[in-house]
Amino acid sequence: MKITGVNTYFVRPRWGFVEIITDDGLCGWGEAVLEGHAASVLACVNEMKDYLIGQDPQNIEGLWSTIYRAGFYRGGGVLMSAISGIDQALWDIKGKFFGVPAWQLMGGKCRDKMRVYSWIGGDRPDDVGRDALEKKGQGFTAIKMNATEELQFLDSYDKIDAVLERVAAVRETCGKHFGIAIDFHGRVHKPMAKVLAKKLEEFDPMFIEEPVLCEHMELFKEIAAACNIPIATGERLFSRYDFKRLLNLGGVDIIQPDLSHAGGITEVKKIAAMAEAYDVALAPHCPLGPIALTSCLTVDATSYNAVIQEQSIGIHYNVGKSVLDYVKNPEDFYFIDGFAKLPTLPGIGVEVNKELVIEENKNPHNWKNPVWHHEDGSVAEW
């Protein structure tokens, strides 16, 4: 079996898909995107075609090593996201060739289902309390919410109070044992992060995410010492080497590699195993589409330290199209009592609606995240 073609597609709301075709008639799908940089990533996939055409798609480790190492420059968001989509597609082909879910070829499952959480939006306490209760009514046992709007290095305590009011609304509405994950989104700098983390303790969050950006990863240990809340991070790290430094520095309890950013199934499985040796949990980042989600569930199925899975069905970022629009097996994406089923179809578990993908690609999206500014006009972290 040889690779004969590699196709790339832009699909709304902000994603990129990769299709790898073989001379056996099998095709595999991957999701290669870095949100806001889809064009760069898909161009990178096209640059990597030369390493793939004519090769046996089953030699995943060899192909992964070739496209990672042979280009001389390596790592970073664009290159690793391109590799991620290719890697997912190769695993999809391999599972289809053997007629089994890809996780069966990775040692088999260590769980029967995977706990998931849902996003909620809304800036007012009434909104987040109502939205969280709606998710609880749908069977979810946990939600994630943004902690705050933009914050300066030193900012006013009315913004802190607003965060506490929103989190309090969720806790009061959904009860003591409902999971609340609070995403700082890298918007907060160290001085205010320590204040905010300490004050959030009273609400018993499941975790706080990206209390500071990963370029300041040496600070996680200091923030951890200031509060008794698990710290999660990792969506902006792209390889086992990035995570090696994070784990060695300490202070982090949960890592969140993204299956479409951090080298795909092959690399994230290695990152998960490395984290397990540090007694650190895995909760893959996934505000993306169906291929990314089933790739996450493939790794979750085989990783003992996987604890909860992000998913983007109903997330506020999805405008125009959503996860289930691109799948022909939506029944495999239904959640029961806050859990997702493991993929059951051969490959990574998604039957892609190729007709819609082709139609979407005729008018490529150009999604960009909002640009925020502080009151003084300086650029704020989004």
Side-chain angles (χ1 to χ4, degrees), residues 164 167 171 176 182 184 194-206 208 223-230:
L164 301 179
V167 177
R171 178 57 71 218
K176 177 177 175 58
I182 304 169
F184 285 34
K194 290 193 293 185
V195 171
L196 194 51
K198 184 66 177 176
K199 286 181 173 289
L200 285 167
E201 278 184 319
E202 67 174 294
F203 303 110
D204 297 325
M206 184 166 60
I208 56 174
I223 295 168
C227 70
N228 290 311
I229 305 172

Side-chain angles (χ1 to χ4, degrees), residues 115 117 142-145 171 179-184 200 204-211 228-233 253-256 281-284 307-310:
R115 188 185 181 200
Y117 63 80
I143 55 89
K144 188 162 80 174
M145 59 189 293
R171 178 57 71 218
I180 306 173
I182 304 169
D183 189 358
F184 285 34
L200 285 167
D204 297 325
M206 184 166 60
F207 60 77
I208 56 174
E209 178 176 332
E210 275 196 325
N228 290 311
I229 305 172
I231 291 176
T233 195
D253 304 289
I254 304 151
I255 58 162
Q256 300 172 301
L282 172 72
V307 291
I308 198 164
Q309 178 59 57
E310 182 174 27

Side-chain angles (χ1 to χ4, degrees), residues 3 13 25 50 66 89 95 111-112 128 137 147 236 274 283 327 331 348 353:
I3 295 172
D50 292 343
T66 298
R111 56 178 45 85
D112 297 322
V128 294
R236 292 189 246 199
M274 186 164 62
V327 303
E331 66 279 359
I348 60 173
N353 184 343

Side-chain angles (χ1 to χ4, degrees), residues 364-381:
H365 69 80
N366 187 31
W367 186 89
K368 295 289 185 289
N369 61 256
V371 178
W372 288 0
H373 292 86
H374 293 295
E375 188 177 356
D376 64 5
S378 59
V379 172
E381 296 283 357

Side-chain angles (χ1 to χ4, degrees), residues 102-349:
W103 51 260
Q104 288 282 22
L105 304 175
M106 299 166 60
K109 64 182 181 179
C110 63
R111 56 178 45 85
D112 297 322
K113 56 186 179 179
M114 188 66 200
R115 188 185 181 200
V116 294
Y117 63 80
S118 187
W119 267 90
I120 60 169
D123 293 327
R124 294 185 299 277
D126 287 347
D127 291 342
V128 294
R130 178 201 65 215
D131 292 350
L133 189 61
E134 180 182 340
K135 298 300 182 183
K136 184 178 180 181
Q138 294 170 2
F140 289 99
T141 59
I143 55 89
K144 188 162 80 174
M145 59 189 293
N146 285 129
T148 177
E149 297 179 287
E150 68 275 12
L151 280 180
Q152 276 281 18
F153 281 85
L154 292 175
D155 215 316
S156 62
Y157 273 77
D158 62 331
K159 290 186 179 180
I160 300 293
D161 290 343
V163 174
L164 301 179
E165 191 176 0
R166 288 194 290 271
V167 177
V170 176
R171 178 57 71 218
E172 291 164 8
T173 303
C174 294
K176 177 177 175 58
H177 301 296
F178 189 74
I180 306 173
I182 304 169
D183 189 358
F184 285 34
H185 217 245
R187 297 170 181 172
V188 188
H189 299 278
K190 182 180 72 168
M192 301 306 289
K194 290 193 293 185
V195 171
L196 194 51
K198 184 66 177 176
K199 286 181 173 289
L200 285 167
E201 278 184 319
E202 67 174 294
F203 303 110
D204 297 325
M206 184 166 60
F207 60 77
I208 56 174
E209 178 176 332
E210 275 196 325
V212 292
L213 290 167
C214 266
E215 48 255 52
H216 305 301
M217 64 173 66
E218 67 279 358
L219 300 178
F220 289 129
K221 202 166 187 177
E222 184 177 343
I223 295 168
C227 70
N228 290 311
I229 305 172
I231 291 176
T233 195
E235 69 186 67
R236 292 189 246 199
L237 300 178
F238 306 109
S239 72
R240 77 197 83 157
Y241 308 108
D242 292 340
F243 281 93
K244 177 177 73 170
R245 179 168 172 248
L246 175 71
L247 293 167
N248 281 331
L249 285 168
V252 171
D253 304 289
I254 304 151
I255 58 162
Q256 300 172 301
D258 190 303
L259 269 289
S260 285
H261 303 338
I265 292 169
T266 298
E267 184 77 345
V268 174
K269 175 62 177 171
K270 295 174 182 178
I271 291 167
M274 186 164 62
E276 186 180 347
Y278 286 81
D279 206 25
V280 168
L282 172 72
H285 180 253
C286 189
L288 297 171
I291 305 169
L293 178 55
T294 55
S295 296
C296 288
L297 292 171
T298 296
V299 172
D300 292 332
T302 67
S303 299
Y304 177 75
N305 54 334
V307 291
I308 198 164
Q309 178 59 57
E310 182 174 27
Q311 55 81 31
S312 72
I313 295 174
I315 198 172
H316 49 288
Y317 296 133
N318 294 347
V319 177
K321 285 288 182 288
S322 190
V323 176
L324 298 183
D325 293 331
Y326 294 103
V327 303
K328 292 185 175 181
N329 58 320
E331 66 279 359
D332 290 332
F333 291 80
Y334 297 156
F335 307 130
I336 301 172
D337 297 330
F339 284 85
K341 298 186 294 185
L342 300 183
T344 57
L345 293 181
I348 60 173

Side-chain angles (χ1 to χ4, degrees), residues 12-59:
R12 287 183 296 170
R14 53 183 189 156
W15 308 328
F17 288 179
V18 175
E19 179 190 31
I20 296 182
I21 301 168
T22 73
D23 59 1
D24 271 12
L26 293 176
C27 73
W29 288 90
E31 195 162 334
V33 67
L34 192 65
E35 300 94 288
H37 305 282
S40 299
V41 172
L42 295 184
C44 191
V45 171
N46 286 317
E47 284 186 340
M48 292 174 175
K49 282 183 183 179
D50 292 343
Y51 298 112
L52 300 170
I53 301 296
Q55 299 300 312
D56 184 346
Q58 296 200 69
N59 296 329

